Amino acid sequence: MKKTDHLIEEHLPRLRRYARALTGDLTRADDLVQDTLERAWSKFHLWRSGSDLRAWLFSIMHNVYVNGVRKNSAVPMLLPLEDDALDVPVRAGQDDGLQVRDLHAALSCLSHEQREVLLLVGLEEMRYEEVAKVLDVPLGTVMSRLSRGRERLRQIMAGGAVPALRVVK
Amino acid sequence: MSEPMRTVSEDELHAYADGQLDEARHAEVAAWLAIHPAEARRVEEYQRQNEALHALFDPVLGEPAPQRLQHPVLASSWRGMPLLRHAAVVAWLAIGGTLGWFLHGEQEPRSGATTAFVRQATMAHVVYTPEVRHPVEVGAEQEAHLAAWLSKRLGVSVKVPHLSEAGYELVGGRLLPGSSGPAAQFMYQDGRGQRLTLYVRTDGAGSRETAFRYARENNIGVFYWIDGSLGYALSGDLEKSELLKVAQVVYHQLNP
């Protein structure tokens, strides 16, 4: 039996990982996590005991994030080109086509809707139905965002490698 | 082996890449991909995207969380409590635990104690204003008792301001744990059900600062000031100018 006292804490590392990938920035990510936790604690009575707490927490984070995006829609997403993230150690064998550091920048070029789906599926390894629930959108929307997001990412990564030499058609 | 050759949808390609197909269909799609190299390359690329995401962001899982994201009191206070019945109490204790850490908060423009004060006030607001059945411990009908009780617990004379000229009626009040001792919360409500709270605590530092200060925490506006031995914070989901009007009424009620 799970100890109730660690319920939310257990999910903290994953919430932080998702927030970091979503915002691309350490401080903004932890702000997002903090806002999410505060809201989760204040609304804990709304959580149905026994239901999926991870999905509940991620949907709260989604709402906090989207509200922030709406509020700051005039502020362009920062491209972390000179970020410390560029120095993230790259696992051996990872540079065959996909440069991890490029991925960081490429992610920020996606729409936030596509980025969310891509991360919940690829990083959180949620089932598509779960993602639909967390984001409160139909399953078909999840699939089309996933498909478009992945294609977009692929093009950006491919294009980013040899930008001047690409000849189309 | 002609069965597996039936069409594979775009969705299924993704589900294959993500390992979300059942075993039988997974095998069928694998067979289909073996004779469709272009799609196979695409699927492989999606899988590499997933791997790259993990390579880039999994290190975050091992990073120690900053103090502001930890809440040690949670561990001791939840044990054995019937969760739903005591949801408000649990939430309060959890938040209270965090507030201890906020006192050590990093890079806050306000002083640590003030930050904690504002946070406690807004958290108490957020926790108790949605309450339908138990928004307060002592209702407005027992106002004299409320004032006497809270005065006794805070150790100073606490007055209950009347805000009807601003359109708000007293709902009641409650005793709360503050960082330096007991604190009080009064709740008000207007005709539309909009609620405001006034958080009152003794000012341990003995500061004489009386200027109105404004902050926003989690979409809740708060005007706070210190008046003699008491600190006040008026919180509400209102425009700044609207909230200021009410804050002035509070101030004049307390300083006739």
Side-chain angles (χ1 to χ4, degrees):
Chain A
M1 191 187 131
K2 273 188 177 181
K3 281 187 184 169
T4 49
D5 47 14
H6 289 303
L7 278 178
I8 290 182
E9 273 171 297
E10 263 175 24
H11 295 278
L12 185 55
R14 279 165 163 254
L15 288 169
R16 292 188 76 217
R17 177 179 66 174
Y18 178 56
R20 187 81 59 88
L22 204 54
T23 64
D25 177 272
L26 192 146
T27 308
R28 278 175 56 204
D30 281 344
D31 285 349
L32 176 59
V33 174
Q34 187 175 342
D35 289 348
T36 302
L37 292 177
E38 286 174 3
R39 194 172 293 196
W41 289 327
S42 71
K43 289 179 184 289
F44 199 73
H45 60 288
L46 296 178
W47 176 62
R48 283 184 300 115
S49 180
S51 67
D52 186 352
L53 183 61
R54 177 176 74 139
W56 187 70
L57 289 171
F58 273 80
S59 66
I60 291 177
M61 180 171 279
H62 161 69
N63 289 329
V64 173
Y65 175 68
V66 167
N67 286 341
V69 169
R70 280 199 201 114
K71 228 179 290 166
N72 300 321
S73 53
V75 183
M77 177 93 185
L78 293 176
L79 290 180
L81 290 177
E82 293 172 344
D83 206 317
D84 289 346
L86 291 177
D87 299 325
V88 167
V90 178
R91 199 175 61 192
Q94 202 56 62
D95 50 1
D96 47 352
L98 266 186
Q99 296 283 343
V100 161
R101 60 185 182 195
D102 292 342
L103 180 64
H104 205 284
L107 269 180
S108 63
C109 297
L110 300 182
S111 73
H112 75 263
E113 288 95 347
Q114 290 172 351
R115 192 162 52 242
E116 280 187 298
V117 171
L118 218 74
L119 293 172
L120 290 176
V121 169
L123 195 57
E124 269 314 302
E125 299 178 10
M126 281 188 188
R127 296 197 64 82
Y128 303 146
E129 297 80 10
E130 247 183 302
V131 176
K133 231 170 69 185
V134 165
L135 301 179
D136 196 22
V137 296
L139 184 58
T141 307
V142 169
M143 296 316 293
S144 68
R145 284 179 188 171
L146 181 64
S147 177
R148 286 191 199 142
R150 278 179 165 162
E151 262 320 288
R152 181 99 205 276
L153 202 58
R154 204 168 66 87
Q155 286 164 4
I156 294 168
M157 303 296 287
V162 276
L165 298 178
R166 263 182 88 76
V167 181
V168 182
K169 283 171 194 168
Chain B
M1 285 293 284
S2 57
E3 262 312 290
M5 300 309 161
R6 77 182 154 100
T7 321
V8 172
S9 71
E10 171 76 12
D11 287 2
E12 281 182 315
L13 288 181
H14 288 278
Y16 177 87
D18 295 320
Q20 298 201 18
L21 291 175
D22 64 48
E23 216 173 303
R25 188 57 185 156
H26 188 91
E28 287 175 357
V29 174
W32 185 87
L33 286 173
I35 54 169
H36 292 84
E39 279 77 11
R41 271 198 302 278
R42 196 150 64 86
V43 165
E44 204 179 302
E45 204 153 341
Y46 294 158
Q47 288 172 328
R48 283 220 302 266
Q49 287 181 358
N50 287 354
E51 286 166 17
L53 286 173
H54 278 290
L56 184 54
F57 295 110
D58 279 357
V60 178
L61 293 174
E63 287 176 16
Q67 288 187 336
R68 63 181 174 132
L69 300 182
Q70 297 171 5
H71 39 97
V73 162
L74 209 57
S76 56
S77 55
W78 276 23
R79 201 162 282 134
M81 292 180 81
L83 274 181
L84 293 175
R85 268 178 62 198
H86 294 278
V89 178
V90 168
W92 172 255
L93 289 171
I95 291 156
T98 324
L99 289 167
W101 290 113
F102 286 133
L103 275 168
H104 313 283
E106 314 116 68
Q107 47 189 312
E108 287 287 347
R110 299 177 293 241
S111 79
T114 310
T115 304
F117 175 43
V118 170
R119 281 209 175 254
Q120 283 175 322
T122 52
M123 279 302 144
H125 178 90
V126 167
V127 168
Y128 289 114
T129 49
E131 271 290 333
V132 178
R133 294 182 61 188
H134 309 293
V136 294
E137 283 177 286
V138 176
E141 71 282 359
Q142 300 181 65
E143 194 194 313
H145 166 64
L146 178 66
W149 171 50
L150 292 174
S151 297
K152 188 176 167 207
R153 291 309 309 273
L154 268 67
V156 290
S157 170
V158 176
K159 279 190 272 186
V160 186
H162 291 156
L163 308 182
S164 28
E165 65 169 292
Y168 289 87
E169 295 301 333
L170 181 69
V171 178
R174 63 167 70 238
L175 183 69
L176 294 173
S179 52
S180 56
Q185 183 194 52
F186 298 111
M187 193 179 295
Y188 299 86
Q189 184 169 313
D190 73 2
R192 296 169 298 127
Q194 169 84 41
R195 285 175 171 175
L196 301 178
T197 58
L198 179 66
Y199 185 88
V200 185
R201 64 147 203 201
T202 53
D203 182 44
S207 164
R208 287 153 187 272
E209 181 182 16
T210 56
F212 273 166
R213 296 247 173 111
Y214 181 74
R216 263 193 108 71
E217 302 269 341
N218 304 316
N219 291 329
I220 304 299
V222 50
F223 272 102
Y224 59 101
W225 67 96
I226 290 165
D227 191 0
S229 60
L230 290 172
Y232 298 90
L234 180 73
S235 311
D237 188 3
L238 279 189
E239 287 299 319
K240 186 177 174 183
S241 57
E242 286 302 309
L243 193 61
L244 176 60
K245 277 185 213 157
V246 185
Q248 284 165 337
V249 174
V250 174
Y251 186 79
H252 288 128
Q253 281 276 320
L254 296 168
N255 300 276

